[in-house]
Amino acid sequence: MRHFGHLSPRVRRELFHKEPAEFSSQSPARLLSVALGATLYSPATRPRLAEDVLKQARRGVVSMVLCLEDSIDDAEVPGAEENLVRQFTELAASAPGAAFTEPPLLFVRVREPAQITSLVRRLGPGTRLLSGFVLPKFTEERGIPFLEALTAAEADCGRRLFAMPVLESPDLLHLETRVETLTGIARTVDKYRDRVLALRLGVTDFCSAYGLRRSPDMTAYDVQIVASVIADVVNVLGRADGTGFTVTGPVWEYFRLQERMFKPQLRQSPFTGRAEELRAALIEHDMDGLLREIGLDRANGLQGKTCIHPSHVVPVHALSVVSHEEFSDATDILRPERCGGGVLRSAYTNKMNEVKPHRAWAERTLLRAEAFGVAREGVGFVELLAAGSI
């Protein structure tokens, strides 16, 4: 699979200076953690789940979470587990051929550690389509049993399985327990580093602890108590010195028109000609707030995003593509002859590139370029949005 693989080769050639690389569930974890992109959540109770999964794959989704936790009622769990087994069996039976669609990376969000080993045994041949599990309300105390169960499940099925812990516990939010909780989480995920693909932020649970809910006019970063937790998580767990992990962006909850209090957040100048219709559609569906939050995710060290609606996928992926200018700066910084450091003017003649301080940024940028590609010079997020929305 590859990002933007649902577009024709001709369209990709027009958009990309360097096209996104192909990857699979067996690719290196470092690439997969960035390539997750917009991870689309779906309740595991959906009766046509296998068909839904393939439909989303044809629309450009490359990672999905099939949820047995908060998205379904407690009484629905046994039936949802049975449905998952049936739907994985159906997916596994799909024979490669002219009409074959490769499923996305599939993860299951569980409630309890025992579900991991039980589901892996029950999935049988369908396990080959399983990339791992999402672990809710993760702390050191709660997390270790989940990770031990994952290790046992790996041994049972003989296949690499990843964990994606969700950081959403009140202990992480509350100031008096935050440092101790973060330290424990760091200790735990470091011990199981080879199995932890990415860390996900449960911002809805953070807001719930204080009876808050952000409006479509507000990003997670406008809710200061949430922004402070994100900053501390990145501080401890997202470092670029080799000790950190990929931390993914919080969910955007809105997908239909809401009554507005503030002006739209998309400037008109990037949207000219027919693209003005795209701007109007984005604003109408509250996507301008999503676009702003994606930009703030990137600025604060987060990659990808949790998504609860297919319409969110294209904006996340479009804004994940590395611009030609970013690629030019990153490759200049990482040239072998620059290893001694120094300062150079950007090839775009609009900024300073300082080799040593900007090296970690450049390395991360080239990894994102491998996953999402590099846009042609003059191609911006508007063109990528428009193409992805076809």
Side-chain angles (χ1 to χ4, degrees):
M1 69 189 77
R2 69 163 76 188
H3 282 290
F4 299 94
H6 63 299
L7 301 181
S8 71
R10 179 188 61 80
V11 172
R12 291 202 304 269
R13 286 193 297 270
E14 291 173 353
L15 292 174
F16 290 99
H17 168 75
K18 177 184 176 185
E19 290 193 24
E22 291 187 346
F23 59 92
S24 73
S25 61
Q26 300 306 307
S27 294
R30 186 166 177 264
L31 174 61
L32 284 182
S33 69
V34 175
L36 288 168
T39 300
L40 185 63
Y41 275 55
S42 176
T45 51
R46 292 180 69 90
R48 304 178 71 175
L49 188 58
E51 183 179 322
D52 293 340
V53 164
L54 296 179
K55 179 172 70 175
Q56 297 308 325
R58 289 190 288 269
R59 293 177 175 178
V61 173
V62 303
S63 65
M64 290 186 69
V65 173
L66 312 179
C67 185
L68 292 167
E69 208 227 358
D70 285 348
S71 68
I72 66 173
D73 188 271
D74 296 348
E76 295 179 303
V77 174
E81 290 180 352
E82 292 177 6
N83 187 54
L84 265 185
V85 173
R86 284 196 302 271
Q87 303 295 335
F88 267 85
T89 300
E90 182 178 332
L91 283 171
S94 301
F100 177 72
T101 300
E102 182 75 22
L105 303 173
L106 296 177
F107 301 84
V108 175
R109 178 168 171 155
V110 291
R111 296 182 173 217
E112 302 295 338
Q115 285 179 300
I116 294 177
T117 48
S118 173
L119 282 170
V120 165
R121 286 195 298 268
R122 292 165 65 186
L123 285 174
T127 306
R128 67 178 179 84
L129 300 176
L130 179 67
S131 291
F133 292 89
V134 175
L135 314 180
K137 299 171 181 61
F138 191 91
T139 61
E140 182 174 31
E141 182 180 0
R142 276 183 55 86
I144 289 176
F146 278 108
L147 291 166
E148 288 176 345
L150 183 78
T151 302
E154 273 193 334
D156 284 346
C157 69
R159 175 181 171 81
R160 180 179 70 171
L161 296 172
F162 285 116
M164 290 201 290
V166 185
L167 310 185
E168 56 188 348
S169 166
D171 290 339
L172 183 59
L173 183 63
H174 297 156
L175 187 60
E176 67 272 20
T177 53
R178 186 178 303 174
V179 172
E180 180 182 355
T181 303
L182 267 175
T183 302
I185 291 171
R187 191 162 47 232
T188 305
V189 294
D190 184 61
K191 180 180 178 181
Y192 291 88
R193 177 172 293 274
D194 291 344
R195 291 182 172 85
V196 176
L197 184 61
L199 304 175
R200 312 199 73 88
L201 288 166
V203 165
T204 301
D205 279 47
F206 290 160
C207 290
S208 173
Y210 288 87
L212 305 175
R213 186 174 191 178
R214 69 189 192 275
S215 73
D217 296 312
M218 301 286 179
T219 71
Y221 303 92
D222 295 313
V223 183
Q224 290 301 301
I225 196 165
V226 170
S228 70
V229 182
I230 294 175
D232 287 345
V233 167
V234 174
N235 190 326
V236 175
L237 297 167
R239 299 176 186 178
D241 60 0
T243 66
F245 296 82
T246 293
V247 183
T248 65
V251 67
W252 182 259
E253 297 180 348
Y254 297 96
F255 49 87
R256 286 197 177 95
L257 181 63
Q258 311 288 325
E259 184 177 0
R260 285 183 173 273
M261 180 177 296
F262 300 109
K263 290 181 178 180
Q265 302 174 68
L266 283 179
R267 291 170 53 242
Q268 286 185 330
S269 54
F271 296 85
T272 57
R274 294 184 61 185
E276 291 177 1
E277 297 175 8
L278 174 61
R279 177 179 181 272
L282 290 168
I283 292 171
E284 180 181 350
H285 291 86
D286 289 320
M287 293 296 182
D288 51 327
L290 170 61
L291 292 172
R292 181 167 178 263
E293 186 165 283
I294 296 167
L296 289 169
D297 287 342
R298 181 72 38 71
N300 285 278
L302 308 185
Q303 300 274 359
K305 204 162 187 65
T306 294
C307 294
I308 47 85
H309 195 271
S311 63
H312 299 168
V313 172
V314 171
V316 173
H317 290 171
L319 270 70
S320 297
V321 173
V322 172
S323 70
H324 189 273
E325 181 174 344
E326 289 176 311
F327 183 70
S328 172
D329 289 337
T331 51
D332 278 353
I333 290 165
L334 295 176
R335 291 186 190 280
E337 62 267 27
R338 306 289 186 190
C339 62
V343 177
L344 57 148
R345 184 175 65 170
S346 166
Y348 275 70
T349 68
N350 60 359
K351 71 177 77 64
M352 171 194 76
N353 287 329
E354 194 168 354
V355 173
K356 288 184 177 179
H358 290 145
R359 176 170 290 275
W361 168 86
E363 290 171 347
R364 285 189 170 186
T365 298
L366 292 191
L367 183 60
R368 181 160 55 91
E370 185 176 355
F372 289 95
V374 178
R376 282 191 178 276
E377 191 171 6
V379 171
F381 75 92
V382 173
E383 290 83 2
L384 292 160
L385 275 170
S389 300
I390 294 174

